[in-house]
Amino acid sequence: MSVISPGGARPSAVDPDIAEKLRGWIRSALDLDEEVTVLVAQLACAEPGCPPVETVLAALPAAGRRSVTLPGPAARLTESDVRRAFHLCGETHAH
Amino acid sequence: MPTDAPLQPADQATKVPVTVLTGFLGSGKTTLLNRILTEEHGKRIAVIENEFGEIGIDDALVVDTEEEIFEMNNGCICCTVRGDLIRVLGTLMRRRDRFDHILIETTGLADPAPVAQTFFVDDEIAGQLRLDAILTLVDARHLGRHLDDAKPEGVENEAVEQIAFADRIVLNKTDLVDEAELDEVIGRIRAINRVAEILPAQYAKIDLGKVLDVGAFDLERALDVDPSFLTDGEHQHDLTVSSVGIELTGDLSIPKLNDWLGELLSTKGADIFRSKGVLAVAGQQNRYVFQGVHMLFEGIDGQPWGNTARVSRLVFIGRNLDRAALETGLRRCLASAR
C-alpha cells in the first residue's frame, strides 16, 4: 500500500476498543448515563504549537458541553488522565 | 508530520448513507424533502432538520436540532464539527432498524464544512455512517442576487460556499427564468463548482436516483467528473471561489507528494473546500485515490491501473486558488522531476 500522509489536521482512527474504554471513563468521570453522547477523536494538527497528535475528549449532553484536549495518542491515556483533565480543566460550553 | 497510514474505509456497504441538503430559504428544500419522503423509492429515510418554520411531515422520523458549532482545536477550521449533529446521529443510530438512509437538512445560512467534517472526525460516526453526498438546492431566479450579496470582510457568502461544497446541485424554479437567464445562472454555478452535476428542475421534480445513494464521497468514485473540465482552457481568474482541475501524465513520487500535499493542506487548507484526486504513484500497480474537506484528508489504494494510461487527476474547489502554482506543485512531484 502506498502511504501518503500529508500534514494538516486530519483524524487518525482510534482503536475501537480503546475508544470504547475512553468513552466509559468520560462517562464515569462526569457521572453521565449511556444516553449522553461522548466523542473521542485523535487529531494530527500541523498548526504551529500543536503536538503531532492530540486527543479530544468531549461529552455532548443537550446542554453544557464539556471537552478537553490532551497531548498524545488516545492509546496512551489512562483513566486518571481523563478524570484529572475533566476535573481540572474541562471546558464547559452552554448552548 | 504524522506517519500513520491514512484512514481505511470500513465496509461501506453496511454503513448508513447520509445526504446533506443545503440551500437558501425559498430554494425549494421543503418541496424536495416532501418529494423524497413521499415518492416510492423503497427507502425509509430519517430526516434531521434544523430550519425553523418548516412544515411537519407525517410518517417520517424527523428530529429537530439547533446549530451547535464545536471547535475542537483552538478554532482550527479543520477541527470544527457540529456537536448537535453528533448527538442526534448517536440517538438515531440507537433506532437503526427504523431507517435505511439519513437526510440532514441544514439551515439556509449553515456552513456545510462542519457538517461534512463531522463524518470524518468522529470515529464512532465514521464507523457506522457514510456521507453520501452534499446536495444543494438553488433558486434559478434568485441565485444571482444571493451570489452577489456583499458580505463584510471575513464573512463568508453562504450561497457561494453551498455551491462550492456541493456534489449535486438542483437548479430549481427554472420555469421562472427564460433561456438566457438560465444559461447565465448555470454559468455562474459552473464558475464556482465545475465538478458537481447540475439538475435543472421545476417544483423540485428530479430523478431521486440522481441524488440519493450516489456515493459522491466514495473514494472509488473520487473523480467521476467530466474529463473536459480537467483540460478546459477557460479559467476565470477574477473569481474568489472557483474550481481547478489538473491532469498530469507520469508517475509521482510519494515523498514529494507528502511534502507538497502536506504543505498545501496545512497552509492553504482553510481555503480549499473540497479536494479529490486519483494519482499514479511510482512503483504502485493501483491507483491512489483521495479526497479531503479543508485539511481533513483520507486516501486509499484504488483499482489497478491495468492497461489504462497512468494519468493523475486532481480537482480542487476553493477560495483564491492559484492554478499555475497548483500545476507547478504537482509537476514537481513527478518521480522524474529534479
Side-chain angles (χ1 to χ4, degrees), chain A residues 1-14 23 34-35 37 39 41 43-47 54 56 58 60-61 65 67 69 95, chain B residues 1-2 4 6-8 68-70 72-73 76 78-79 86-87 94 120-121 123-124 254 257-258 261-262 265-266 284 288 295-297 301:
Chain A
M1 162 170 193
S2 52
V3 178
I4 295 179
S5 305
R10 65 187 181 86
S12 52
V14 180
R23 281 193 282 269
E34 286 291 319
E35 296 298 304
T37 302
L39 175 146
L43 303 174
C45 190
E47 290 212 336
E54 54 194 347
V56 178
L60 304 168
R65 182 182 71 230
S67 64
T69 303
H95 53 261
Chain B
M1 182 178 295
D4 48 331
L7 282 179
Q8 288 296 304
E68 177 200 334
I69 301 294
F70 177 18
M72 296 202 299
N73 197 357
C76 173
C78 50
C79 305
I86 293 172
R87 188 163 48 243
R94 293 188 200 117
F120 290 85
V121 167
D123 285 333
E124 201 170 17
I254 289 180
L257 270 174
N258 274 331
L261 272 175
L265 292 178
S266 59
Q284 301 295 324
Y288 181 80
M295 294 93 154
L296 296 181
F297 172 100
D301 278 359

Short mmCIF file of all heavy atoms in Angstrom, two decimals, chain A residues 1-14 23 34-35 37 39 41 43-47 54 56 58 60-61 65 67 69 95, chain B residues 1-2 4 6-8 68-70 72-73 76 78-79 86-87 94 120-121 123-124 254 257-258 261-262 265-266 284 288 295-297 301:
data_model
loop_
_atom_site.label_atom_id
_atom_site.label_comp_id
_atom_site.label_asym_id
_atom_site.label_seq_id
_atom_site.Cartn_x
_atom_site.Cartn_y
_atom_site.Cartn_z
N MET A 1 0.84 -1.20 0.00
CA MET A 1 0.00 0.00 0.00
C MET A 1 0.88 1.25 0.00
O MET A 1 1.87 1.33 0.70
CB MET A 1 -0.87 -0.03 1.24
CG MET A 1 -1.43 1.31 1.56
SD MET A 1 -2.66 1.28 2.81
CE MET A 1 -3.26 2.92 2.56
N SER A 2 0.51 2.19 -0.81
CA SER A 2 1.23 3.45 -0.81
C SER A 2 0.75 4.30 0.35
O SER A 2 -0.45 4.49 0.52
CB SER A 2 0.99 4.18 -2.13
OG SER A 2 -0.38 4.29 -2.38
N VAL A 3 1.66 4.76 1.16
CA VAL A 3 1.25 5.55 2.32
C VAL A 3 1.52 7.02 2.04
O VAL A 3 2.67 7.45 1.98
CB VAL A 3 2.01 5.10 3.59
CG1 VAL A 3 1.61 5.96 4.77
CG2 VAL A 3 1.71 3.64 3.87
N ILE A 4 0.45 7.76 1.82
CA ILE A 4 0.59 9.19 1.63
C ILE A 4 0.00 9.85 2.87
O ILE A 4 -1.15 9.63 3.22
CB ILE A 4 -0.13 9.65 0.35
CG1 ILE A 4 0.58 9.01 -0.85
CG2 ILE A 4 -0.13 11.16 0.24
CD1 ILE A 4 -0.03 9.35 -2.19
N SER A 5 0.81 10.59 3.54
CA SER A 5 0.38 11.18 4.82
C SER A 5 0.62 12.67 4.85
O SER A 5 1.57 13.13 5.45
CB SER A 5 1.16 10.52 5.96
OG SER A 5 1.03 9.14 5.93
N PRO A 6 -0.20 13.41 4.17
CA PRO A 6 0.03 14.85 4.17
C PRO A 6 -0.22 15.43 5.55
O PRO A 6 -0.99 14.90 6.33
CB PRO A 6 -0.99 15.38 3.17
CG PRO A 6 -2.07 14.38 3.18
CD PRO A 6 -1.42 13.06 3.46
N GLY A 7 0.43 16.53 5.83
CA GLY A 7 0.19 17.22 7.10
C GLY A 7 -1.14 17.91 7.06
O GLY A 7 -1.95 17.67 6.19
N GLY A 8 -1.35 18.80 7.98
CA GLY A 8 -2.67 19.40 8.12
C GLY A 8 -3.44 18.53 9.07
O GLY A 8 -3.19 17.34 9.18
N ALA A 9 -4.35 19.12 9.81
CA ALA A 9 -5.08 18.35 10.79
C ALA A 9 -5.95 17.32 10.09
O ALA A 9 -6.59 17.61 9.11
CB ALA A 9 -5.95 19.26 11.63
N ARG A 10 -5.92 16.15 10.52
CA ARG A 10 -6.78 15.11 10.00
C ARG A 10 -6.91 14.06 11.08
O ARG A 10 -6.04 13.93 11.94
CB ARG A 10 -6.21 14.51 8.72
CG ARG A 10 -4.92 13.78 8.95
CD ARG A 10 -4.31 13.35 7.64
NE ARG A 10 -3.08 12.64 7.89
CZ ARG A 10 -3.03 11.33 8.14
NH1 ARG A 10 -4.12 10.63 8.18
NH2 ARG A 10 -1.89 10.75 8.37
N PRO A 11 -7.96 13.33 11.06
CA PRO A 11 -8.13 12.34 12.11
C PRO A 11 -7.35 11.08 11.81
O PRO A 11 -7.05 10.80 10.67
CB PRO A 11 -9.63 12.05 12.06
CG PRO A 11 -9.99 12.29 10.63
CD PRO A 11 -9.06 13.34 10.11
N SER A 12 -6.96 10.40 12.81
CA SER A 12 -6.44 9.05 12.60
C SER A 12 -7.27 8.16 13.51
O SER A 12 -7.59 8.52 14.63
CB SER A 12 -4.96 8.98 12.95
OG SER A 12 -4.73 9.51 14.23
N ALA A 13 -7.68 7.05 12.96
CA ALA A 13 -8.66 6.22 13.66
C ALA A 13 -8.12 5.74 15.00
O ALA A 13 -6.96 5.35 15.12
CB ALA A 13 -9.01 5.04 12.77
N VAL A 14 -8.98 5.78 16.00
CA VAL A 14 -8.65 5.25 17.31
C VAL A 14 -9.15 3.80 17.32
O VAL A 14 -10.24 3.52 16.83
CB VAL A 14 -9.36 6.06 18.42
CG1 VAL A 14 -9.02 5.50 19.80
CG2 VAL A 14 -8.99 7.53 18.32
N ARG A 23 -14.60 6.24 26.27
CA ARG A 23 -15.96 6.75 26.43
C ARG A 23 -16.51 6.37 27.81
O ARG A 23 -17.18 7.17 28.46
CB ARG A 23 -16.86 6.21 25.31
CG ARG A 23 -16.69 6.96 23.99
CD ARG A 23 -17.79 6.62 22.99
NE ARG A 23 -17.56 5.34 22.36
CZ ARG A 23 -16.87 5.17 21.21
NH1 ARG A 23 -16.39 6.22 20.59
NH2 ARG A 23 -16.68 3.98 20.71
N GLU A 34 -25.68 6.46 29.83
CA GLU A 34 -25.38 5.95 28.48
C GLU A 34 -26.03 6.78 27.38
O GLU A 34 -25.62 6.72 26.22
CB GLU A 34 -25.84 4.49 28.36
CG GLU A 34 -24.95 3.50 29.08
CD GLU A 34 -23.58 3.36 28.43
OE1 GLU A 34 -23.51 3.34 27.19
OE2 GLU A 34 -22.58 3.31 29.17
N GLU A 35 -27.06 7.53 27.73
CA GLU A 35 -27.77 8.31 26.72
C GLU A 35 -26.96 9.52 26.24
O GLU A 35 -27.19 10.04 25.16
CB GLU A 35 -29.11 8.81 27.29
CG GLU A 35 -30.09 7.70 27.66
CD GLU A 35 -30.49 6.89 26.43
OE1 GLU A 35 -30.99 7.49 25.48
OE2 GLU A 35 -30.29 5.66 26.45
N THR A 37 -24.14 11.54 24.61
CA THR A 37 -23.16 11.28 23.56
C THR A 37 -21.78 11.75 24.01
O THR A 37 -21.64 12.88 24.49
CB THR A 37 -23.56 12.01 22.27
OG1 THR A 37 -24.86 11.58 21.89
CG2 THR A 37 -22.58 11.75 21.15
N LEU A 39 -17.57 11.88 22.72
CA LEU A 39 -16.77 11.84 21.50
C LEU A 39 -15.30 11.62 21.83
O LEU A 39 -14.77 12.21 22.77
CB LEU A 39 -16.97 13.17 20.76
CG LEU A 39 -16.16 13.46 19.49
CD1 LEU A 39 -16.99 14.28 18.53
CD2 LEU A 39 -14.87 14.18 19.81
N ALA A 41 -11.76 11.70 19.63
CA ALA A 41 -11.16 11.94 18.31
C ALA A 41 -9.67 12.19 18.47
O ALA A 41 -9.24 12.92 19.36
CB ALA A 41 -11.83 13.14 17.63
N LEU A 43 -6.47 13.73 16.71
CA LEU A 43 -6.17 14.67 15.63
C LEU A 43 -4.67 14.80 15.43
O LEU A 43 -3.91 14.73 16.40
CB LEU A 43 -6.74 16.05 15.97
CG LEU A 43 -8.24 16.15 16.25
CD1 LEU A 43 -8.59 17.56 16.70
CD2 LEU A 43 -9.03 15.79 14.99
N ALA A 44 -4.30 14.97 14.20
CA ALA A 44 -2.90 15.26 13.89
C ALA A 44 -2.89 16.65 13.27
O ALA A 44 -3.17 16.81 12.10
CB ALA A 44 -2.36 14.23 12.90
N CYS A 45 -2.61 17.63 14.08
CA CYS A 45 -2.72 19.02 13.62
C CYS A 45 -1.34 19.59 13.35
O CYS A 45 -0.45 19.51 14.19
CB CYS A 45 -3.43 19.87 14.68
SG CYS A 45 -3.86 21.49 14.07
N ALA A 46 -1.19 20.16 12.18
CA ALA A 46 0.12 20.70 11.80
C ALA A 46 0.25 22.17 12.14
O ALA A 46 1.23 22.80 11.78
CB ALA A 46 0.33 20.50 10.31
N GLU A 47 -0.75 22.72 12.83
CA GLU A 47 -0.65 24.14 13.16
C GLU A 47 0.48 24.37 14.16
O GLU A 47 0.75 23.52 15.01
CB GLU A 47 -1.98 24.61 13.76
CG GLU A 47 -3.09 24.65 12.73
CD GLU A 47 -4.09 25.74 13.00
OE1 GLU A 47 -4.20 26.15 14.16
OE2 GLU A 47 -4.75 26.17 12.04
N GLU A 54 -2.89 14.72 19.07
CA GLU A 54 -3.59 15.02 20.32
C GLU A 54 -4.96 14.38 20.29
O GLU A 54 -5.48 14.04 19.22
CB GLU A 54 -3.67 16.52 20.57
CG GLU A 54 -4.26 17.31 19.44
CD GLU A 54 -4.02 18.81 19.59
OE1 GLU A 54 -3.62 19.26 20.68
OE2 GLU A 54 -4.23 19.53 18.62
N VAL A 56 -8.92 14.55 21.51
CA VAL A 56 -10.03 15.38 22.00
C VAL A 56 -11.07 14.45 22.61
O VAL A 56 -11.50 13.48 21.99
CB VAL A 56 -10.67 16.20 20.86
CG1 VAL A 56 -11.86 17.01 21.37
CG2 VAL A 56 -9.65 17.12 20.22
N ALA A 58 -14.82 14.63 24.53
CA ALA A 58 -15.93 15.57 24.77
C ALA A 58 -17.18 14.83 25.20
O ALA A 58 -17.43 13.71 24.75
CB ALA A 58 -16.22 16.37 23.50
N LEU A 60 -21.22 15.47 25.17
CA LEU A 60 -22.14 16.34 24.43
C LEU A 60 -23.58 16.16 24.93
O LEU A 60 -24.45 15.72 24.18
CB LEU A 60 -22.07 16.04 22.94
CG LEU A 60 -20.69 16.13 22.27
CD1 LEU A 60 -20.73 15.52 20.88
CD2 LEU A 60 -20.23 17.57 22.20
N PRO A 61 -23.83 16.50 26.17
CA PRO A 61 -25.22 16.46 26.62
C PRO A 61 -26.01 17.56 25.93
O PRO A 61 -25.43 18.41 25.24
CB PRO A 61 -25.12 16.70 28.13
CG PRO A 61 -23.87 17.47 28.30
CD PRO A 61 -22.94 17.05 27.20
N ARG A 65 -21.95 21.38 27.13
CA ARG A 65 -20.91 20.52 26.55
C ARG A 65 -19.60 20.70 27.31
O ARG A 65 -19.26 21.81 27.73
CB ARG A 65 -20.70 20.92 25.08
CG ARG A 65 -19.68 20.07 24.37
CD ARG A 65 -19.45 20.54 22.94
NE ARG A 65 -18.73 21.80 22.87
CZ ARG A 65 -19.13 22.84 22.17
NH1 ARG A 65 -20.25 22.81 21.48
NH2 ARG A 65 -18.42 23.96 22.15
N SER A 67 -15.37 19.60 27.15
CA SER A 67 -14.35 18.97 26.30
C SER A 67 -12.95 19.23 26.84
O SER A 67 -12.72 20.26 27.48
CB SER A 67 -14.46 19.48 24.87
OG SER A 67 -14.19 20.86 24.81
N THR A 69 -8.67 18.64 25.56
CA THR A 69 -7.73 18.20 24.52
C THR A 69 -6.44 17.81 25.22
O THR A 69 -5.86 18.60 25.96
CB THR A 69 -7.46 19.33 23.51
OG1 THR A 69 -8.71 19.75 22.95
CG2 THR A 69 -6.56 18.86 22.39
N HIS A 95 -25.05 26.04 25.67
CA HIS A 95 -25.59 26.38 24.35
C HIS A 95 -27.09 26.20 24.39
O HIS A 95 -27.65 25.68 25.30
CB HIS A 95 -24.97 25.52 23.25
CG HIS A 95 -25.05 24.05 23.51
ND1 HIS A 95 -23.99 23.35 24.02
CD2 HIS A 95 -26.05 23.17 23.37
CE1 HIS A 95 -24.34 22.08 24.16
NE2 HIS A 95 -25.58 21.96 23.77
N MET B 1 5.39 15.66 10.94
CA MET B 1 4.32 15.12 10.10
C MET B 1 3.95 13.72 10.59
O MET B 1 4.83 12.91 10.84
CB MET B 1 4.82 15.05 8.65
CG MET B 1 3.75 14.54 7.71
SD MET B 1 4.33 14.53 6.00
CE MET B 1 4.52 16.28 5.75
N PRO B 2 2.70 13.42 10.70
CA PRO B 2 2.31 12.10 11.16
C PRO B 2 2.69 11.05 10.12
O PRO B 2 2.70 11.31 8.92
CB PRO B 2 0.80 12.19 11.31
CG PRO B 2 0.40 13.29 10.39
CD PRO B 2 1.55 14.24 10.35
N ASP B 4 1.32 7.82 10.41
CA ASP B 4 0.35 6.73 10.41
C ASP B 4 -0.37 6.68 9.06
O ASP B 4 -0.47 7.66 8.35
CB ASP B 4 -0.67 6.89 11.55
CG ASP B 4 -1.22 8.29 11.61
OD1 ASP B 4 -0.50 9.22 11.20
OD2 ASP B 4 -2.37 8.46 12.02
N PRO B 6 -3.21 6.46 6.16
CA PRO B 6 -4.49 7.13 6.02
C PRO B 6 -5.64 6.23 6.46
O PRO B 6 -5.50 5.01 6.49
CB PRO B 6 -4.58 7.41 4.51
CG PRO B 6 -3.19 7.32 4.01
CD PRO B 6 -2.48 6.36 4.90
N LEU B 7 -6.75 6.87 6.76
CA LEU B 7 -7.91 6.10 7.19
C LEU B 7 -8.31 5.09 6.13
O LEU B 7 -8.33 5.38 4.95
CB LEU B 7 -9.09 7.04 7.40
CG LEU B 7 -9.10 7.85 8.68
CD1 LEU B 7 -10.33 8.73 8.69
CD2 LEU B 7 -9.10 6.93 9.88
N GLN B 8 -8.67 3.93 6.57
CA GLN B 8 -9.21 2.92 5.67
C GLN B 8 -10.72 2.91 5.82
O GLN B 8 -11.22 2.76 6.94
CB GLN B 8 -8.67 1.55 6.06
CG GLN B 8 -7.22 1.35 5.71
CD GLN B 8 -6.98 1.41 4.22
OE1 GLN B 8 -7.59 0.67 3.47
NE2 GLN B 8 -6.14 2.32 3.80
N GLU B 68 -25.04 23.85 16.47
CA GLU B 68 -24.07 23.98 17.55
C GLU B 68 -22.68 23.66 17.02
O GLU B 68 -22.34 22.51 16.79
CB GLU B 68 -24.44 23.01 18.68
CG GLU B 68 -23.46 23.00 19.83
CD GLU B 68 -23.58 21.71 20.65
OE1 GLU B 68 -24.66 21.10 20.67
OE2 GLU B 68 -22.56 21.32 21.25
N ILE B 69 -21.93 24.70 16.78
CA ILE B 69 -20.59 24.53 16.23
C ILE B 69 -19.64 24.15 17.36
O ILE B 69 -19.61 24.78 18.41
CB ILE B 69 -20.11 25.83 15.56
CG1 ILE B 69 -21.06 26.25 14.44
CG2 ILE B 69 -18.68 25.69 15.05
CD1 ILE B 69 -21.11 25.32 13.27
N PHE B 70 -18.85 23.13 17.15
CA PHE B 70 -17.90 22.66 18.16
C PHE B 70 -16.50 22.75 17.56
O PHE B 70 -16.14 21.96 16.70
CB PHE B 70 -18.26 21.22 18.55
CG PHE B 70 -17.31 20.57 19.53
CD1 PHE B 70 -16.44 21.31 20.31
CD2 PHE B 70 -17.32 19.20 19.69
CE1 PHE B 70 -15.57 20.70 21.21
CE2 PHE B 70 -16.46 18.57 20.58
CZ PHE B 70 -15.58 19.33 21.34
N MET B 72 -13.01 21.96 17.97
CA MET B 72 -12.31 21.01 18.84
C MET B 72 -10.89 21.45 19.14
O MET B 72 -10.27 20.94 20.04
CB MET B 72 -12.29 19.63 18.20
CG MET B 72 -13.68 19.05 18.03
SD MET B 72 -13.63 17.28 17.89
CE MET B 72 -12.67 17.08 16.44
N ASN B 73 -10.37 22.36 18.33
CA ASN B 73 -8.95 22.64 18.46
C ASN B 73 -8.65 24.12 18.22
O ASN B 73 -8.19 24.50 17.16
CB ASN B 73 -8.18 21.76 17.47
CG ASN B 73 -6.73 21.68 17.81
OD1 ASN B 73 -6.29 22.32 18.75
ND2 ASN B 73 -5.99 20.91 17.05
N CYS B 76 -9.30 26.00 15.02
CA CYS B 76 -8.75 25.50 13.75
C CYS B 76 -9.93 25.02 12.89
O CYS B 76 -10.75 24.22 13.33
CB CYS B 76 -7.80 24.34 14.03
SG CYS B 76 -7.23 23.49 12.56
N CYS B 78 -10.25 23.08 10.51
CA CYS B 78 -10.32 21.67 10.13
C CYS B 78 -10.86 20.81 11.27
O CYS B 78 -11.19 19.65 11.06
CB CYS B 78 -8.96 21.18 9.72
SG CYS B 78 -7.72 21.59 10.92
N CYS B 79 -10.90 21.35 12.45
CA CYS B 79 -11.34 20.54 13.60
C CYS B 79 -12.68 21.06 14.11
O CYS B 79 -12.99 20.97 15.29
CB CYS B 79 -10.32 20.59 14.70
SG CYS B 79 -8.68 20.09 14.18
N ILE B 86 -23.58 15.33 15.96
CA ILE B 86 -23.01 14.12 16.56
C ILE B 86 -24.02 13.54 17.55
O ILE B 86 -24.27 12.33 17.58
CB ILE B 86 -21.69 14.46 17.28
CG1 ILE B 86 -20.63 14.86 16.26
CG2 ILE B 86 -21.21 13.27 18.11
CD1 ILE B 86 -19.35 15.39 16.88
N ARG B 87 -24.62 14.42 18.32
CA ARG B 87 -25.56 13.96 19.35
C ARG B 87 -26.79 13.31 18.72
O ARG B 87 -27.21 12.22 19.08
CB ARG B 87 -25.97 15.16 20.21
CG ARG B 87 -26.79 14.79 21.43
CD ARG B 87 -26.78 15.93 22.44
NE ARG B 87 -27.08 17.22 21.83
CZ ARG B 87 -26.24 18.25 21.80
NH1 ARG B 87 -25.05 18.17 22.35
NH2 ARG B 87 -26.58 19.38 21.23
N ARG B 94 -29.36 4.49 17.59
CA ARG B 94 -29.95 3.52 18.53
C ARG B 94 -31.27 2.97 17.98
O ARG B 94 -31.82 2.04 18.51
CB ARG B 94 -30.18 4.18 19.89
CG ARG B 94 -28.89 4.54 20.58
CD ARG B 94 -29.10 5.02 22.00
NE ARG B 94 -27.92 5.77 22.42
CZ ARG B 94 -27.90 7.05 22.75
NH1 ARG B 94 -29.02 7.74 22.78
NH2 ARG B 94 -26.79 7.64 23.09
N PHE B 120 -15.96 12.78 9.20
CA PHE B 120 -14.56 12.37 9.12
C PHE B 120 -13.92 12.31 10.50
O PHE B 120 -13.00 11.54 10.72
CB PHE B 120 -13.76 13.37 8.26
CG PHE B 120 -14.10 13.34 6.81
CD1 PHE B 120 -15.16 14.06 6.31
CD2 PHE B 120 -13.33 12.58 5.93
CE1 PHE B 120 -15.47 14.04 4.96
CE2 PHE B 120 -13.63 12.55 4.58
CZ PHE B 120 -14.70 13.28 4.10
N VAL B 121 -14.36 13.18 11.40
CA VAL B 121 -13.63 13.36 12.66
C VAL B 121 -14.05 12.36 13.72
O VAL B 121 -13.21 11.84 14.45
CB VAL B 121 -13.83 14.81 13.18
CG1 VAL B 121 -13.36 14.94 14.61
CG2 VAL B 121 -13.07 15.78 12.28
N ASP B 123 -14.89 9.01 15.11
CA ASP B 123 -14.70 7.61 14.69
C ASP B 123 -15.97 6.79 14.81
O ASP B 123 -16.23 5.91 13.99
CB ASP B 123 -13.61 6.95 15.55
CG ASP B 123 -12.24 7.42 15.14
OD1 ASP B 123 -12.08 7.80 13.98
OD2 ASP B 123 -11.34 7.41 15.99
N GLU B 124 -16.74 7.06 15.86
CA GLU B 124 -17.94 6.26 16.07
C GLU B 124 -18.92 6.49 14.92
O GLU B 124 -19.54 5.56 14.40
CB GLU B 124 -18.59 6.64 17.41
CG GLU B 124 -19.49 5.55 17.94
CD GLU B 124 -19.95 5.81 19.37
OE1 GLU B 124 -19.85 6.97 19.82
OE2 GLU B 124 -20.42 4.86 20.00
N ILE B 254 6.13 9.41 -3.87
CA ILE B 254 5.42 9.52 -2.58
C ILE B 254 6.05 10.58 -1.67
O ILE B 254 5.33 11.43 -1.13
CB ILE B 254 5.35 8.16 -1.87
CG1 ILE B 254 4.38 7.24 -2.62
CG2 ILE B 254 4.89 8.32 -0.43
CD1 ILE B 254 4.23 5.88 -2.01
N LEU B 257 5.09 13.93 -2.97
CA LEU B 257 3.66 14.19 -2.76
C LEU B 257 3.37 14.53 -1.31
O LEU B 257 2.59 15.43 -1.01
CB LEU B 257 2.84 12.95 -3.14
CG LEU B 257 2.38 12.82 -4.58
CD1 LEU B 257 1.73 11.46 -4.79
CD2 LEU B 257 1.40 13.93 -4.95
N ASN B 258 3.99 13.77 -0.41
CA ASN B 258 3.79 14.04 1.01
C ASN B 258 4.18 15.47 1.35
O ASN B 258 3.47 16.18 2.07
CB ASN B 258 4.60 13.06 1.87
CG ASN B 258 3.84 11.78 2.12
OD1 ASN B 258 2.61 11.77 2.15
ND2 ASN B 258 4.57 10.70 2.30
N LEU B 261 1.59 17.98 -0.74
CA LEU B 261 0.22 17.97 -0.21
C LEU B 261 0.19 18.41 1.25
O LEU B 261 -0.71 19.12 1.69
CB LEU B 261 -0.40 16.57 -0.33
CG LEU B 261 -1.10 16.23 -1.65
CD1 LEU B 261 -1.55 14.78 -1.65
CD2 LEU B 261 -2.32 17.14 -1.88
N GLY B 262 1.20 17.97 2.00
CA GLY B 262 1.26 18.35 3.41
C GLY B 262 1.35 19.86 3.57
O GLY B 262 0.62 20.48 4.34
N LEU B 265 -2.00 21.57 2.21
CA LEU B 265 -3.18 21.46 3.07
C LEU B 265 -2.98 22.19 4.40
O LEU B 265 -3.92 22.72 4.97
CB LEU B 265 -3.55 20.00 3.31
CG LEU B 265 -4.06 19.25 2.08
CD1 LEU B 265 -4.35 17.79 2.41
CD2 LEU B 265 -5.32 19.89 1.51
N SER B 266 -1.75 22.20 4.89
CA SER B 266 -1.55 22.86 6.18
C SER B 266 -1.51 24.38 6.03
O SER B 266 -1.84 25.11 6.96
CB SER B 266 -0.30 22.35 6.88
OG SER B 266 0.83 22.57 6.09
N GLN B 284 3.67 1.66 -7.81
CA GLN B 284 2.39 1.11 -7.35
C GLN B 284 1.54 0.69 -8.53
O GLN B 284 1.38 1.45 -9.49
CB GLN B 284 1.63 2.17 -6.53
CG GLN B 284 2.37 2.65 -5.31
CD GLN B 284 2.58 1.55 -4.27
OE1 GLN B 284 1.73 0.70 -4.09
NE2 GLN B 284 3.72 1.57 -3.61
N TYR B 288 -3.93 5.53 -6.52
CA TYR B 288 -4.10 6.06 -5.17
C TYR B 288 -5.20 7.10 -5.25
O TYR B 288 -5.11 8.05 -6.04
CB TYR B 288 -2.80 6.69 -4.65
CG TYR B 288 -2.97 7.22 -3.24
CD1 TYR B 288 -2.92 6.36 -2.15
CD2 TYR B 288 -3.23 8.56 -3.00
CE1 TYR B 288 -3.12 6.83 -0.87
CE2 TYR B 288 -3.43 9.04 -1.72
CZ TYR B 288 -3.37 8.17 -0.66
OH TYR B 288 -3.58 8.63 0.61
N MET B 295 -8.62 20.67 5.57
CA MET B 295 -7.37 19.92 5.80
C MET B 295 -7.62 18.44 6.04
O MET B 295 -6.68 17.66 6.10
CB MET B 295 -6.63 20.46 7.02
CG MET B 295 -6.11 21.86 6.84
SD MET B 295 -7.29 23.05 7.47
CE MET B 295 -6.23 24.41 7.87
N LEU B 296 -8.84 18.05 6.27
CA LEU B 296 -9.11 16.64 6.51
C LEU B 296 -8.95 15.87 5.21
O LEU B 296 -9.45 16.29 4.17
CB LEU B 296 -10.53 16.45 7.05
CG LEU B 296 -10.82 17.08 8.40
CD1 LEU B 296 -12.25 16.78 8.81
CD2 LEU B 296 -9.85 16.57 9.45
N PHE B 297 -8.29 14.76 5.31
CA PHE B 297 -7.84 14.07 4.10
C PHE B 297 -7.92 12.58 4.35
O PHE B 297 -7.53 12.10 5.41
CB PHE B 297 -6.39 14.50 3.85
CG PHE B 297 -5.66 13.77 2.77
CD1 PHE B 297 -5.52 14.35 1.53
CD2 PHE B 297 -5.08 12.53 3.00
CE1 PHE B 297 -4.80 13.71 0.53
CE2 PHE B 297 -4.37 11.88 2.00
CZ PHE B 297 -4.24 12.48 0.76
N ASP B 301 -5.66 2.85 -1.55
CA ASP B 301 -5.30 2.29 -2.84
C ASP B 301 -6.59 1.90 -3.55
O ASP B 301 -7.44 1.23 -2.96
CB ASP B 301 -4.43 1.04 -2.65
CG ASP B 301 -2.99 1.42 -2.42
OD1 ASP B 301 -2.68 2.62 -2.43
OD2 ASP B 301 -2.17 0.51 -2.23
#
